[in-house]
Amino acid sequence: MGGSDQWGNITTGTELIRRINGGEAYAITCPLITKSDGTKFGKTEGGNVWLDPKRTSPYKFYQFWINVSDEDAKKYIKIFTDLPQDEIAELTAEQEKDPGLRPLQKRLAKEITTMVHSAEDYENAVEASQILFSNKAKDILHKIDEDTLLSVFEGVPTFEVPRSAVDEGTPMISLLTDVAAVFPSKGEMRKLTQGGGVSINKEKIADPNMPASADMLLNGKYILAQKGKKNYFLLIVK
């Protein structure tokens, strides 16, 4: 049993079984699942999606489904979920009426993330995906697990910081310049802080001399620094 692209290999296998055992062997194939661009949906094409949370975290798993194209969402929701046809038809109509709301992707991501992982993992993934925009980001950051945190901020610049810098209450102006080069100078850090453009763990700081503390640590080892609206840096405390 396999994908239709393996028909040649499968029929060769059934012939071998017949010759060795002298009995009958049968093959079943199913249509190959492809993306809207015609490429195969599979690990050989890159962008692997694993069921094992150690290979693809529930957050990344959720993000994959929420970001598929409209055409793929219409197809995948019929393949990967048990939703009844009339409900899929309603979701499709909603999608065509207002594609920006992405009802197909949202329902697809919910159904399959819950099925493969759990309802709790789904809720956590939704919450984590709102970190960059939610006014509850501070609370969410202190609640999510390490894998999700690293997935959300994958690719942002990182700096290793000695534990002593936190234990000794190093002022932020020194921590983000001398210890971790988030800012090129203390003058720039001070100026941006005064303008409300510096945040620690999504909470604006008003005093550049505010001391670092263990209370800031996310999962006991990370501090998220933000410079301006879009520049994030992850301090790894060791």
Side-chain angles (χ1 to χ4, degrees):
M1 181 176 181
S4 56
D5 63 324
Q6 296 298 315
W7 177 249
N9 291 329
I10 290 172
T11 52
T12 300
T14 57
E15 182 60 25
L16 178 62
I17 292 170
R18 289 189 182 110
R19 290 184 182 184
I20 292 176
N21 294 336
E24 291 298 315
Y26 302 92
I28 300 174
T29 63
C30 62
L32 196 65
I33 299 174
T34 58
K35 300 177 184 178
S36 56
D37 61 4
T39 58
K40 290 194 295 185
F41 181 98
K43 59 185 176 62
T44 57
E45 296 298 323
N48 304 356
V49 181
W50 301 88
L51 303 185
D52 186 342
K54 293 179 181 178
R55 290 180 174 269
T56 299
S57 69
Y59 170 78
K60 280 189 174 181
F61 189 84
Y62 166 81
Q63 284 293 319
F64 174 83
W65 301 105
I66 203 74
N67 288 310
V68 298
S69 69
D70 290 356
E71 288 304 311
D72 284 340
K74 290 177 184 178
K75 178 167 59 176
Y76 294 162
I77 202 165
K78 298 174 183 177
I79 298 172
F80 296 117
T81 78
D82 293 326
L83 294 177
Q85 291 186 16
D86 58 347
E87 192 167 352
I88 291 176
E90 290 177 10
L91 289 167
T92 302
E94 289 178 25
Q95 185 90 357
E96 292 174 351
K97 183 177 180 180
D98 191 348
L101 293 178
R102 302 171 68 78
L104 278 173
Q105 285 91 336
K106 289 177 181 177
R107 189 59 183 274
L108 173 66
K110 178 181 180 179
E111 292 293 321
I112 196 166
T113 302
T114 300
M115 176 169 45
V116 172
H117 296 293
S118 69
E120 182 181 2
D121 285 327
Y122 162 72
E123 294 293 345
N124 290 339
V126 172
E127 199 169 42
S129 67
Q130 297 171 349
I131 284 176
L132 302 183
F133 316 102
S134 173
N135 55 9
K136 297 180 180 179
K138 176 189 172 184
D139 296 331
I140 298 172
L141 278 171
H142 282 279
K143 187 171 68 173
I144 61 176
D145 60 81
E146 182 177 6
D147 288 342
T148 302
L149 175 69
L150 296 178
S151 293
V152 172
F153 294 101
E154 182 177 18
V156 306
T158 61
F159 297 96
E160 289 191 3
V161 173
R163 179 79 193 205
S164 59
V166 174
D167 292 340
E168 295 170 4
T170 302
M172 278 297 147
I173 194 167
S174 296
L175 184 69
L176 301 182
T177 54
D178 299 333
V179 182
V182 172
F183 290 90
S185 69
K186 292 182 179 179
E188 182 178 326
M189 192 272 185
R190 185 179 291 108
K191 181 178 180 181
L192 194 59
T193 301
Q194 291 172 347
V198 179
S199 297
I200 296 297
N201 299 336
K202 295 297 290 182
E203 185 174 21
K204 292 184 185 297
I205 63 172
D207 181 6
N209 292 305
M210 182 182 75
S213 69
D215 293 341
M216 295 177 178
L217 298 180
L218 307 173
N219 287 281
K221 61 186 292 189
Y222 302 101
I223 295 176
L224 179 68
Q226 184 178 353
K227 180 171 66 174
K229 292 183 177 180
K230 299 181 179 180
N231 299 307
Y232 292 93
F233 304 85
L234 200 59
L235 310 188
I236 305 172
V237 181
K238 293 188 174 181

